[in-house]
């Protein structure tokens, strides 16, 4: 492997490892709890991330969604909710570590509601299936991977909740470097092989995200992490 690619992948792995450490600390410290607002949890996570890693910059808005707000995809801005004692909550944070982006999402369950627990488990299994499918297809396009993971929602008894299933990730600010073109998303309109280099001949690395919802139950589950870096 080219040395620059090795350094890039090591940097992305390190950024994600720190994001994982942050999420474990969030859980260990009981920050995800009832009777507080989404915004309060968001503020506490920001403070914890600063204490642990000195993080001040995030490459996208920090998301804490609870209850019926878990139905909404990233670009929506639903009203702030108070977390209930038997709630489902997901986090989506994009911290920047030494100019390398992480993008990490996880779902948390308060209580023992079987539908919510199933949803949390299903998105983890679906993410693993999505990665396995990506790895098995050497010339896979964003459209093909989006179709595959969106069909997984039906397999597990849910609806796919997002307009895409992931995006490019890299050195901050990747959005300025790569732009907002559909080719930079795991999207049904992206027919370019995901392993193709960018317009400057540089490698592209991807985040895979799974968002399953049940609109009748008003619950959604979300997970995301690096797809192309082991």
């Amino acid at each position: 492997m080219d040395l620059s690619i090795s350094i890039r992948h090591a940097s992305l792995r390190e950024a994600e490892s720190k994001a994982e450490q942050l999420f474990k600390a969030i859980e260990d410290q009981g920050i995800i709890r009832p009777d507080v607002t989404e915004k309060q949890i968001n503020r506490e996570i920001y403070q914890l991330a600063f204490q642990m890693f000195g993080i001040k910059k995030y490459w996208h808005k920090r998301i804490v969604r609870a209850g019926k707000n878990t139905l909404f995809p990233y670009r929506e801005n639903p009203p702030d909710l108070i977390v209930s004692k038997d709630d489902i909550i997901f986090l989506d944070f994009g911290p920047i570590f030494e100019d390398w982006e992480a993008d990490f999402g996880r779902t948390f369950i308060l209580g023992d509601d079987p539908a919510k627990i199933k949803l949390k488990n299903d998105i983890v299994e679906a993410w693993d299936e999505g990665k396995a499918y990506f790895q098995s297809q050497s010339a896979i396009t964003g459209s093909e991977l989006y179709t595959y993971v969106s069909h997984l929602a039906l397999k597990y008894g849910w609806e796919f909740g997002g307009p895409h299933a992931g995006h490019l990730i890299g050195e901050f600010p990747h959005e300025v470097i790569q732009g907002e073109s559909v080719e930079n998303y795991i999207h049904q309109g992206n027919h370019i092989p995901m392993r193709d280099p960018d317009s400057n001949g540089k490698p592209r690395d991807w985040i895979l995200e799974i968002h399953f919802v049940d609109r009748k139950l008003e619950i959604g589950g979300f997970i995301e992490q690096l797809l192309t870096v082991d």
Side-chain angles (χ1 to χ4, degrees):
M1 181 184 291
D2 183 275
L3 179 60
S4 63
I5 297 176
S6 296
I7 293 171
R8 173 188 177 88
H9 284 181
S11 299
L12 287 170
R13 278 195 297 268
E14 178 67 15
E16 179 157 287
S17 175
K18 289 179 178 178
E20 287 185 279
Q21 293 173 48
L22 172 62
F23 273 54
K24 185 177 187 303
I26 290 167
E27 197 163 16
D28 290 346
Q29 296 189 23
I31 290 176
I32 307 298
R33 65 196 189 279
D35 302 320
V36 294
T37 66
E38 296 165 330
K39 286 185 178 179
Q40 176 61 29
I41 289 174
N42 204 326
R43 285 192 293 267
E44 291 179 19
I45 293 173
Y46 179 86
Q47 292 166 0
L48 176 62
F50 181 74
Q51 291 167 7
M52 290 180 66
F53 300 111
I55 301 170
K56 292 183 179 180
K57 291 193 300 183
Y58 294 78
W59 70 269
H60 69 65
K61 66 182 179 182
R62 307 188 309 275
I63 289 179
V64 178
R65 299 249 165 96
K68 63 184 181 181
N69 280 355
T70 59
L71 295 174
F72 290 99
Y74 167 80
R75 292 193 183 277
E76 300 295 326
N77 294 291
D80 191 28
L81 291 182
I82 296 175
V83 178
S84 68
K85 65 179 181 178
D86 294 309
D87 226 334
I88 186 168
I89 305 99
F90 75 70
L91 309 179
D92 177 5
F93 278 64
I96 299 168
F97 299 95
E98 298 178 359
D99 290 328
W100 288 93
E101 302 163 345
D103 201 4
F104 204 71
R106 287 294 186 270
T107 296
F108 302 84
I109 308 295
L110 300 179
D112 56 5
D113 182 280
K116 294 170 185 172
I117 292 171
K118 179 182 184 299
L119 177 53
K120 179 181 177 180
N121 292 336
D122 286 351
I123 58 174
V124 173
E125 291 188 23
W127 194 95
D128 289 340
E129 287 190 52
K131 178 167 183 173
Y133 185 72
F134 171 81
Q135 292 178 324
S136 73
Q137 306 292 318
S138 61
I140 191 169
T141 66
S143 175
E144 289 166 341
L145 185 55
Y146 175 83
T147 298
Y148 181 82
V149 297
S150 61
H151 286 170
L152 286 177
L154 300 177
K155 170 185 171 180
Y156 284 97
W158 309 98
E159 176 186 344
F160 198 77
H164 62 80
H167 51 80
L168 292 175
I169 192 79
E171 195 168 5
F172 180 76
H174 91 265
E175 287 185 310
V176 173
I177 298 169
Q178 302 289 356
E180 284 291 312
S181 170
V182 70
E183 285 82 12
N184 298 325
Y185 290 86
I186 302 172
H187 185 280
Q188 60 186 353
N190 179 7
H191 302 291
I192 295 176
M194 294 174 65
R195 291 180 177 86
D196 279 7
D198 67 17
S199 58
N200 296 315
K202 294 183 178 181
R204 300 190 299 166
D205 287 296
W206 297 87
I207 290 287
L208 175 63
E209 59 185 65
I210 302 291
H211 184 202
F212 290 174
V213 302
D214 186 312
R215 300 192 187 280
K216 184 177 180 180
L217 296 177
E218 294 189 317
I219 59 173
F222 182 82
I223 181 172
E224 70 173 337
Q225 60 194 50
L226 278 168
L227 173 67
T228 48
V229 182
D230 291 319

